[in-house]
Amino acid sequence: TLGASVRVLQRLGYEVIQPQDQTCCGALHLHAGDLRRAHALMRRNLRAFDDPALQAVIGVASGCTALLTQYPQHLADDPRAAAFSQRVRDINRFLAETPWPQDLHLDPLPKTIAVHEPCTLRNVLRGQGHGYTLLGRIPEARVVALAENQFCCGGAGAYMLTQPAMADRLRDDKLAHLQQLAPDLLATSNLGCALHVGAGMRALGLTAEVVHPVTLIARQLPD
């Protein structure tokens, strides 16, 4: 997903910088109640991206991106947090809002793409529509919303690890909808959701590939 994001951004004319001293966003530590470690990770990221020349800080997993936007809530004593969070963008939103060259046309993909909307994308980032806009650029692709996207898939950060039985029950409805729809691909913008739903799909023998929307865009870029 990171590689696909870099490829698409560069194709649109952006210079992409990946600070080597960046680290985990701190979300899983925060979920586990380890505030000391979570805050340390957050401060490390503030140092890593402390460059006023950066136009945007791009996140490719909605759970991580959501927390990056909330750094000021957790680091109220650090003046860098507000400026940092204001530059954070989900990759779908950034690409959907970026003007594309008029001569850049994606290769056709005559397949059905079901779109799963992670809770963090819907309820924190308020950006669930951007993935549809992005996938809508692919000619011949049939892009459809997975039914009941307003409900959690059960991944929920570390929830699939700490409450696996409940997480699996929450996932059951998603799997039933996927069985009925039988898409060729399932596009989701959060890694935890992809892991959790993908594991359930494999257990049922469902063969649809689980991918990030930006991965599909990168694949359809003409050579």
Side-chain angles (χ1 to χ4, degrees):
T1 303
L2 288 170
S5 299
V6 171
R7 185 183 176 203
V8 176
L9 287 166
Q10 289 178 335
R11 194 65 173 268
L12 296 180
Y14 288 99
E15 178 185 3
V16 181
I17 300 170
Q18 296 175 278
Q20 295 303 304
D21 51 346
Q22 65 179 293
T23 188
C24 172
C25 68
L28 291 179
H29 302 82
L30 198 64
H31 297 328
D34 188 354
L35 299 183
R36 182 190 64 79
R37 182 68 186 279
H39 290 170
L41 293 170
M42 294 178 192
R43 294 186 194 281
R44 180 173 168 180
N45 281 324
L46 291 183
R47 292 192 298 270
F49 291 95
D50 190 19
D51 182 351
L54 295 178
Q55 179 179 346
V57 177
I58 304 295
V60 301
S62 66
C64 303
T65 310
L67 181 61
L68 295 177
T69 67
Q70 296 173 333
Y71 272 18
Q73 300 176 28
H74 301 284
L75 300 176
D77 62 332
D78 196 320
R80 299 171 299 179
F84 170 81
S85 68
Q86 290 171 3
R87 289 184 294 171
V88 172
R89 296 290 186 276
D90 171 67
I91 184 65
N92 297 311
R93 174 184 173 184
F94 190 82
L95 294 178
E97 294 179 347
T98 292
W100 284 43
Q102 292 185 356
D103 60 348
L104 179 56
H105 304 288
L106 301 178
D107 293 334
L109 182 66
K111 294 182 179 296
T112 298
I113 305 170
V115 178
H116 166 259
E117 302 170 13
C119 296
T120 44
L121 192 64
R122 287 176 58 93
N123 304 324
V124 181
L125 298 173
R126 307 291 183 183
Q128 66 270 27
H130 297 124
Y132 295 95
T133 300
L134 202 56
L135 293 170
R137 288 185 170 275
I138 304 176
E140 300 183 26
R142 177 175 177 250
V143 182
V144 295
L146 189 63
E148 297 187 314
N149 261 326
Q150 71 271 28
F151 298 125
C152 178
C153 71
Y159 199 72
M160 59 183 172
L161 303 176
T162 59
Q163 301 289 336
M166 178 62 77
D168 287 353
R169 286 197 293 273
L170 289 169
R171 183 180 61 186
D172 286 344
D173 286 341
K174 304 292 183 187
L175 298 176
H177 294 316
L178 285 166
Q179 284 181 305
Q180 182 177 9
L181 182 60
D184 301 293
L185 300 137
L186 175 65
T188 183
S189 300
N190 192 51
L191 176 60
C193 302
L195 290 171
H196 186 54
V197 176
M201 292 170 63
R202 288 192 299 273
L204 289 177
L206 300 180
T207 59
E209 182 184 7
V210 183
V211 293
H212 193 288
V214 75
T215 299
L216 292 178
I217 296 297
R219 288 180 185 174
Q220 301 313 115
L221 284 173
D223 295 331

